[in-house]
Amino acid sequence: MQAEITGRLKQARAALAVSFLLQGTTFALLVTCIPEIQDRYGLSDSLLPVFLAAVPILAGVGSITSEWVVKRTTARGVLRVVQPAVCAALALAGFGDRLWALALALGLFGLLVGALDASMNMLGVGLQHRYGRSIMLGFHAAFSLGGILGAAVAGLGAHYHLGLPTLFGGAAVVLIPAALVAGRWFAGPAELGDAVREAAEAAARSIPWKPLLPLCLAMAFAYIADASVSNYSVKYLTDGLNSPEDLAKLSYLGYMVAMLLGRALGDRAVQRFGAVPVVRGGAMLAAAGFAVAAAAPGTWAGILGFTLLGFGICAIIPQVFAAGGRLFPHDSDAAVARLNLFNYVGFLIGSPLVGAIADASSYRWAFLAPMVLILAIVPLGGYFAPEPTAAERDEERAAQSVA
């Protein structure tokens, strides 16, 4: 049953959407500037996957730590602290010039972004329960919009030859105050009702892993695909298809535009058709996008492939969180934090996997590996179906008895 949607709930939803947007902007600025980071720090192609893999490892630590902290405080409190700190870590990555400075900045970024992602999605699932309908895709649509803004700013930075200190430092000057303002309106105990009490009670017990495992696999496969685009789409266009740096950034921009458009309509699609066909259809479209990108003869065909991939993958990740919340409605914070861990498992596998195959052969062959893994989500689609209500179970039993 849908709860009464108060003005305060609407404010909390809008504030969380702003948080997702700011995180999308920050993340896009970092990943689309990987070639510039390599040049500034003298980072070789063979060492790049090591640095990229370290970020999700530390992010996984941050995600699990945030679950423990949230149980003793609130998701709102964690998010208010870590989001401005993530923006500051981005600025640090732009000001150093030694490998140890890069390692420090990326390590800090990883730890903080893990706590940020987990706390944002905890609040999102809590608000979705209060709304009584699917709203998670809207938050992830805001992340995609932020990704578009970040990729566009990075493209302009490359076009006008702005250095990383100017680009990352200037972004932090804008993003940190915006994060502090949005944090004033995040949902707390008054808006989420019993969510805080239930999270505290969850500290005394452990939810079982077995029901979550299919969703964990789907999350990992989706983020292997996402990591492939985030970390290597720009490099593929510059190194593999000989694209100019500013044009190459359109690969990630197209991906995020597609994610935004898909997620803007995704909640309605889930409400109309159900989560299962949306997830399965998305996985097949994402695989087609990888195939187009891998076979691309030139820049614009590569951009088209990554754009198709964005349309395909847009609904899968938020639906994993929503399905986990349905499985454990009284322990949704713990379920979200555990599922979010496989976000970083996917990044941990995806970056070295694509990098190693590309180093041994080419990026064309490398993108076929995540294509196969994203197709593995199709048979997992049934686990995204909501549990039938008591009335629906009675109807099904009555139909079976008649038959």
Side-chain angles (χ1 to χ4, degrees):
M1 184 176 65
Q2 183 171 315
E4 179 187 357
I5 309 303
T6 65
R8 181 65 187 92
L9 272 179
K10 292 178 180 178
Q11 286 178 337
R13 182 182 180 184
L16 187 59
V18 170
S19 181
F20 272 86
L21 183 144
L22 296 178
Q23 170 58 354
T25 304
T26 306
F27 186 75
L29 280 167
L30 182 69
V31 299
T32 56
C33 290
I34 286 175
E36 289 88 342
I37 291 173
Q38 278 192 276
D39 292 341
R40 182 175 181 84
Y41 289 92
L43 191 62
S44 67
D45 283 345
S46 59
L47 197 55
L48 176 63
V50 177
F51 276 75
L52 294 179
V55 173
I57 291 174
L58 292 170
V61 174
S63 180
I64 291 298
T65 302
S66 73
E67 179 188 347
W68 180 84
V69 175
V70 164
K71 288 173 182 176
R72 287 153 180 80
T73 57
T74 63
R76 175 177 64 180
V78 173
L79 186 52
R80 282 174 169 172
V81 172
V82 298
Q83 185 148 54
V86 166
C87 300
L90 174 70
L92 286 177
F95 282 102
D97 57 7
R98 303 287 182 88
L99 282 181
W100 67 264
L102 178 63
L104 179 64
L106 291 183
L108 183 61
F109 186 90
L111 281 171
L112 292 169
V113 85
L116 173 61
D117 286 348
S119 56
M120 283 195 309
N121 282 291
M122 287 176 191
L123 283 180
V125 169
L127 282 171
Q128 179 164 280
H129 284 319
R130 292 288 289 147
Y131 267 72
R133 56 185 171 85
S134 176
I135 62 171
M136 281 296 291
L137 279 175
F139 295 129
H140 288 263
F143 177 91
S144 301
L145 178 58
I148 293 168
L149 293 174
V153 170
L156 290 172
H159 182 75
Y160 291 106
H161 306 289
L162 299 180
L164 288 182
T166 301
L167 185 62
F168 287 178
V173 168
V174 175
L175 295 172
I176 291 174
L180 292 173
V181 172
R184 296 180 57 196
W185 305 104
F186 291 149
E191 295 76 39
L192 299 181
D194 290 337
V196 174
R197 177 183 58 78
E198 290 165 356
E201 291 174 353
R205 60 185 185 273
S206 178
I207 63 174
W209 275 99
K210 187 175 179 180
L212 284 175
L213 285 179
L215 298 176
C216 292
L217 286 174
M219 177 69 87
F221 295 152
Y223 269 104
I224 287 171
D226 187 72
S228 303
V229 181
S230 300
N231 293 327
Y232 292 107
S233 62
V234 176
K235 280 190 65 64
Y236 171 50
L237 264 67
T238 54
D239 298 353
L241 301 180
N242 300 315
S243 306
E245 282 190 357
D246 54 350
L247 194 59
K249 296 186 191 301
L250 293 179
S251 60
Y252 190 74
L253 180 64
Y255 173 71
M256 296 308 290
V257 167
M259 294 273 271
L260 173 63
L261 294 176
R263 285 172 172 171
L265 301 173
D267 281 323
R268 292 182 182 178
V270 170
Q271 291 164 15
R272 181 172 180 180
F273 302 110
V276 174
V278 169
V279 168
R280 284 176 171 162
M284 290 186 284
L285 182 58
F290 269 123
V292 171
T299 299
W300 291 107
I303 292 171
L304 173 63
F306 292 119
T307 302
L308 287 175
L309 176 54
F311 277 118
I313 206 173
C314 66
I316 296 173
I317 295 166
Q319 285 306 308
V320 170
F321 287 121
R326 287 194 298 268
L327 277 176
F328 299 98
H330 300 297
D331 294 329
S332 61
D333 284 352
V336 167
R338 281 163 170 72
L339 289 169
N340 196 58
L341 176 63
F342 284 80
N343 163 350
Y344 307 111
V345 171
F347 263 94
L348 177 60
I349 296 172
S351 296
L353 176 66
V354 173
I357 297 174
D359 191 50
S361 54
S362 69
Y363 282 109
R364 294 186 187 276
W365 287 106
F367 283 129
L368 295 181
M371 181 190 77
V372 172
L373 291 174
I374 203 73
L375 281 173
I377 294 177
V378 175
L380 296 174
Y383 293 96
F384 289 80
E387 287 292 320
T389 64
E392 289 170 337
R393 285 193 292 266
D394 290 342
E395 258 183 53
E396 184 179 351
R397 281 195 293 266
Q400 289 173 347
S401 63
V402 170

